[in-house]
Amino acid sequence: MADPKPRIKVPKTASKGEVVTIKTLISHPMESGQRKDSAGNVIPREIINKFTCEFNGQPVFGCDLDPAISANPYMEFTAKVEESGTFTFSWTDDLGKVITTEEKIEVS
Amino acid sequence: MTLTRREALALTAGAAAFLATASRMAFASAEDAEKAISEFTGGAAPQSGKITLTAPEIAENGNSVPISVSVDSPMTADDHVASVLVLAEGNPNPDVATFHFTALSGMATATTRIRLARTQNVIAVAKMSDGSTYIDRKEVKVTIGGCGG
C-alpha cells in the first residue's frame, strides 16, 4: 500500500494565547482483525495504534487508538499557542511504520 | 423422531446455554468495560459531572459514529485533564481510544469517529492531573453494526 496521505487543518495565523482547533484525517483501512475474507480466514489486524501532536517539541495531544476507531481515522482537538512555531503530527501503525508531517503557525 | 417432554426441555436449556456462551465470546460485556474502567482509575469509582460525552442518539451506520468528549477544566500546568478513556461496552473489545492531554492542549476536547457493533452504551472516563476521575455514558442505537462480520 502506498503511504497514507494525512490531511491536516491548522489555522495559518493566530493571536498569542489563542486556543486553535486542529483537524486531522489520514487514509488508512484500520483493519480490525474481526473480519473474515471470502475463504473464511480472519484478516489480520492492521491499524494505526498511536497518534501524537507536538508543538515546538512539546507534547500537545496524543491518542492511543484501538480497532474500534473507524477507517481513515479522524481526530479533532485543540492547542493553545503562545508563540510561532511548528506542529509535528505523527501516526504509528501496527507494523511500526511512522508517518510524520508538519504544519507551521504564525502567532502575533 | 418424537421427543419426550423431558428431552425437549433439556435440548432447549442446552441451546440457551450455548447461545449465552457464544454471545459472551463474540461481544465484550458490561463487566469487561467495568474492568477496563477500574484499571484506568486505579480502582476508584469515578464521579459524574465535569465530563461530557456527545454521541448521536441513533447511528445509522455503525462503521462511523462521530463522538466527542469535552471536560471542564482550567487546563493549567497544575490542574489539567491527563487522559480520557473511551469504551464501548457492546463491542468485541470494549477499548475504543485513550486521549492524552497536556496543558498545551488549551481545552480538553477531542472528536473522532468510532465503530459500534450494535446498540450499546458508550462510556468516557476522564482522569485529572490530581488523580480524580469523572465518568459519562450515552446510549447509541445502531441500525447497521460496524464490525463487517
Side-chain angles (χ1 to χ4, degrees):
Chain A
M1 196 179 79
D3 262 10
K5 288 267 181 316
R7 280 162 56 194
I8 296 167
K9 226 173 200 175
V10 180
K12 292 263 178 298
T13 58
S15 50
K16 190 173 153 55
E18 193 183 330
V19 175
V20 296
T21 301
I22 298 171
K23 297 176 183 179
T24 70
L25 183 79
I26 187 163
S27 303
H28 196 281
M30 294 292 280
E31 193 56 63
S32 68
Q34 302 282 341
R35 297 197 309 154
K36 289 180 179 151
D37 63 16
S38 50
N41 304 313
V42 172
I43 306 172
R45 172 183 138 156
E46 198 204 326
I47 65 165
I48 289 175
N49 55 39
K50 198 169 157 63
F51 167 71
T52 58
C53 169
E54 292 182 346
F55 183 63
N56 293 344
Q58 300 284 320
V60 172
F61 175 81
C63 183
D64 301 329
L65 290 79
D66 286 290
I69 297 290
S70 301
N72 306 330
Y74 170 77
M75 286 287 156
E76 184 182 329
F77 54 95
T78 57
K80 193 173 183 178
V81 286
E82 298 284 358
E83 53 185 3
S84 300
T86 313
F87 285 104
T88 310
F89 305 91
S90 67
W91 291 261
T92 311
D93 76 2
D94 277 350
L95 305 174
K97 194 166 75 177
V98 183
I99 300 142
T100 308
T101 172
E102 292 185 340
E103 284 289 326
K104 285 190 169 44
I105 187 165
E106 207 63 51
V107 174
S108 48
Chain B
M1 187 177 106
T2 51
L3 289 175
T4 64
R5 186 178 131 87
R6 185 167 300 189
E7 278 167 352
L9 277 175
L11 270 179
T12 324
F18 172 75
L19 278 178
T21 331
S23 66
R24 202 169 319 132
M25 275 158 58
F27 292 106
S29 59
E31 289 100 75
D32 286 338
E34 292 298 327
K35 214 169 85 191
I37 293 172
S38 73
E39 263 170 34
F40 179 72
T41 63
Q47 309 161 49
S48 58
K50 285 208 180 184
I51 181 166
T52 314
L53 169 69
T54 313
E57 207 169 296
I58 298 174
E60 280 184 13
N61 183 355
N63 262 318
S64 179
V65 184
I67 60 144
S68 66
V69 291
S70 98
V71 190
D72 182 19
S73 161
M75 293 306 274
T76 58
D78 306 327
D79 181 9
H80 61 269
V81 181
S83 45
V84 173
L85 174 75
V86 182
L87 297 168
E89 61 181 30
N91 272 4
N93 176 351
D95 298 316
V96 173
T98 314
F99 301 116
H100 303 285
F101 298 99
T102 67
L104 278 180
S105 305
M107 282 195 293
T109 63
T111 303
T112 189
R113 297 182 191 138
I114 68 171
R115 291 179 176 139
L116 294 175
R118 55 178 179 165
T119 298
Q120 58 181 291
N121 283 325
V122 179
I123 304 169
V125 192
K127 183 154 58 178
M128 307 303 201
S129 52
D130 65 1
S132 59
T133 51
Y134 297 91
I135 191 166
D136 191 19
R137 55 186 85 211
K138 281 267 146 60
E139 190 189 26
V140 181
K141 292 190 171 66
V142 176
T143 316
I144 303 167
C147 274

